[in-house]
Amino acid sequence: MKGYELFARTLKDLRLGPVFGNPGSTEIPMLREIKDYVLTLHDSISVGMADGLAQYTGTPSVVNLHTLPGVANSMAFIHTARLNRSPVVITSGQQDNRHVYYDPLLSHDLLSLVGDAVKYRYEARNAEDIERSLKRAAMKSLEPPMGPVFVSFPMDVMEEESDYLGLAWKYPNTALVDMNEVEYVAKCIEEAASPAIISGSEIDAYGSMEDAVNFAEKVGCPVYAEPLSSRAGFRSDNHRFAGDILPATTAMNMLLMKNDLILNFGGDFTIYPYLQSPLLPGKKVITISLSPSFRYGEFITGHPGLFMRELTKIVKPKGDFQRPEDLSTGSAAARERRTMGVNFVLQKVRKKFHDYVIVDEAISSSVAVRKNLGYRDRSYFTAKSGQLGWATPAAAGISMKNPRVLEIIGDGSLMYTVQALWTISRYNLPVKVLVLDNQGYSILKSFSTSFYPGVEKAPFLSFKTDIVKISEAFGVETREGDESLDELDWLAEGETARVLVVHVDRSIPKLFF
Amino acid sequence: MKVLIILPPFLPVDDIRKIIRQILPDGEILTSTDFTEHNAEVLVATTFTRIDRNLISRLPGLKMIQISSTGYDNVDQDAVKSRKIMLCNIPAANKESVAEHVIAMALAHLKNLIHFHNEILKGNWPVLTNSMDLAGKTFGIIGMGAIGRKLAERLLYFGTNTIYYDPVRLQEEDEEFLGLKFYALEELLAKSDIISLHVPLTPETRNFIAGKQFNIMKDGSIFINTSRGEVVDEASMIKAIQSKGIRAGIDVYTQEPPDFSSDLFRLDNVIFSPHIAGVTVESQQRFITETVSNVMKYVQGLQPLYRVL
């Protein structure tokens, strides 16, 4: 077999596909046998789509990038996939080995370029490497912490001959629980005065929501969602759910002031911005995770859901936390009706889209999105890295497996990868896009108001774009919502992509401590 | 960086100390100022602590004073200036509370609540009433700062016709957003059924509302002052209450505590509160949060907000 045939055959064996990408001359040789290809109009969009798809399915997806420019264009998205713990197999072309000495056009040390954004990186030396490096990369992508891997293929390797060996492959086992540690944590809970639980993204990623709920029911402690989690940490309609933890240390400390034991299942402490307070001083903090960061407190390596399952069997109840009924959302929505505030918009959205997967990149409204729409299993996704432009590609990727996807995005974020709408249109992906248009970077205005007052008025934080025209130019039906928001019915209709632009309140929210 | 926090002893100091240990480990809490010298760079205090030249002299390294309140009358500003110390307050954390207090006073008058309460305590069961609705009344707000705006926002839901006066007129879109109409002061006084005062005390605003202004007001109108006592000429107010049937809601006084032998406290149609319109459990929490946040900005090397000196 020729190298390019081995490439296609290995992807098929690994059940990896479609290939997301935007090809260049370097990749044409390796794509000759690829039948299932999704074209994006910017390299980074293919990584975002693959990220969304991989997170939603829990299995690897595959991308093909155009050597140096394609990889460089995609670096922010590769970093996001790393932080999202998304198993994306990234491939790229590389220049022909026979003239690399001359630094030809497009040549570069790609392995250095991807750096630590990937957990495995390799450049094939010969045709034999194609099957084994791709299989190794796919398996590595699922090893905790899951994340992107990278393999590059020089053009000449694709012309070499080799046999397809059908090498054995198996995705890694993650069902790891140390029973001694389970007993230790049960004892810590028993000895603590007031434990609190943090439920993180691994709970949803490993399908452990039921285990988390059962554990919370038994132990009776409040359950918080991991700060800045990329996906749901818990079911927000559960009466043990106490809300999100804010990422600032001071806010975190004030929230958990009365708790002496913090049990963090499958999450981490993402912090921003810097505040003087130390992180959770004087508290016992134990993180149970398949991929511990060892940043703070004690760590136990293990499957957080299965750990909770075992812990539920022996733990003694430690309270009966009941979240007080939240009566504020309805009245907040009613109050904000006349200003087109986001709480008003999102309460209307909730009625229509309560069972949709939400992909959130409405940065300054994200707290409101989480509060109004809540968390369910595999129902909420956002970029852990803080980058903009991720949501539209990710929503497109998820919609390939679930037709009920609502992307909620700000006007600023939309513009980063707006040409993803072309891919959505071209492949008939049923993404519903709600644009909360506040004509600027509201999150930066809020940050400025808190820390650098006056800068919020700077002209470089505001802009106005005609989203309707832009979106329609890419072939997606688009409308503007009026005060009644009746257009939400139109947005929800059918399984075709639609964009609804809502001009929301432009006053600056207070989002920072 | 050493942060000294001086709190009045009636606060739950032990609980606050636990909180400070979590969020500002270099913070030290004292309940008095009887130390000889302290090496603090930042002083956090409430209005209950008098920060005079003597206290400042015992803080040789002091660079910033944060008062956890809107007012900072307790600080010797000349002493602060001469040492080039930064002084910050926390403005407007009580705007919600004051706005609600004003509305409560207006409603208490309109609904005759004090009268009914007293009658029932006397064993009477009054069946006649001249209670009135707030809806449809013309509500005049003098001073459209943070509290005035918050009051205007709240009044939208009561169905009042809200008008305002401020030396600096709002932008047209802000007026539209709040449903406000601008009038010159005299016109506002003449048109309003209820008048609420929200101006700072400055040399220009001392006795801002006096005999002439009270004479313009409608007979029987409601006049509420939650700003500063010195903004109103008290003798003229007493006369207007007696002669024009004006009903008043008074939270602030020329002298605090006031001289209780004053005729003011012999009047029937006045509701009093002890300069406490902005003090609620919630507003105190907001003051604490804003204070901590602002001190942390300074400690981290950022410019703190709300600098007054």
Side-chain angles (χ1 to χ4, degrees), chain A residues 250 253-254 257 274-278 281 283 334-335 338-339 449-453 510 513, chain B residues 18-19 21-25 156-157 177 285 289-290 292-293 296-297 299-300 302-303 305:
Chain A
T250 311
N253 293 352
M254 288 174 96
M257 185 76 67
Y274 169 72
L275 290 178
Q276 175 82 359
S277 306
K283 297 181 192 299
R335 272 196 305 276
R338 74 191 181 91
T339 57
T449 307
S450 282
F451 297 106
Y452 305 95
K510 181 166 173 59
F513 186 78
Chain B
K18 279 184 202 159
I19 295 170
R21 205 173 292 140
Q22 296 269 319
I23 56 181
L24 206 62
L156 276 173
Y157 298 94
F177 182 73
Q285 186 56 49
T289 306
E290 290 282 324
V292 169
S293 165
M296 288 182 71
K297 283 186 180 72
V299 170
Q300 286 173 214
L302 296 170
Q303 280 297 315
L305 308 178

Side-chain angles (χ1 to χ4, degrees), chain A residues 220-284:
Chain A
C221 302
V223 181
Y224 296 93
E226 173 190 0
L228 292 181
S229 181
S230 57
R231 55 197 296 170
F234 201 65
R235 292 175 188 154
S236 55
D237 62 356
N238 186 280
H239 61 125
R240 300 277 195 239
F241 183 62
D244 286 347
I245 293 184
L246 293 174
T249 52
T250 311
M252 219 182 277
N253 293 352
M254 288 174 96
L255 183 68
L256 301 172
M257 185 76 67
K258 292 178 180 163
N259 305 112
D260 56 342
L261 173 65
I262 313 296
L263 293 173
N264 176 19
F265 290 95
D268 210 339
F269 295 101
T270 302
I271 291 168
Y272 191 84
Y274 169 72
L275 290 178
Q276 175 82 359
S277 306
L279 179 63
L280 302 170
K283 297 181 192 299
K284 190 176 186 68

Side-chain angles (χ1 to χ4, degrees), chain A residues 41 90 302 319 442 469:
Chain A
L41 299 188
I90 301 165
S442 188
K469 277 187 185 163

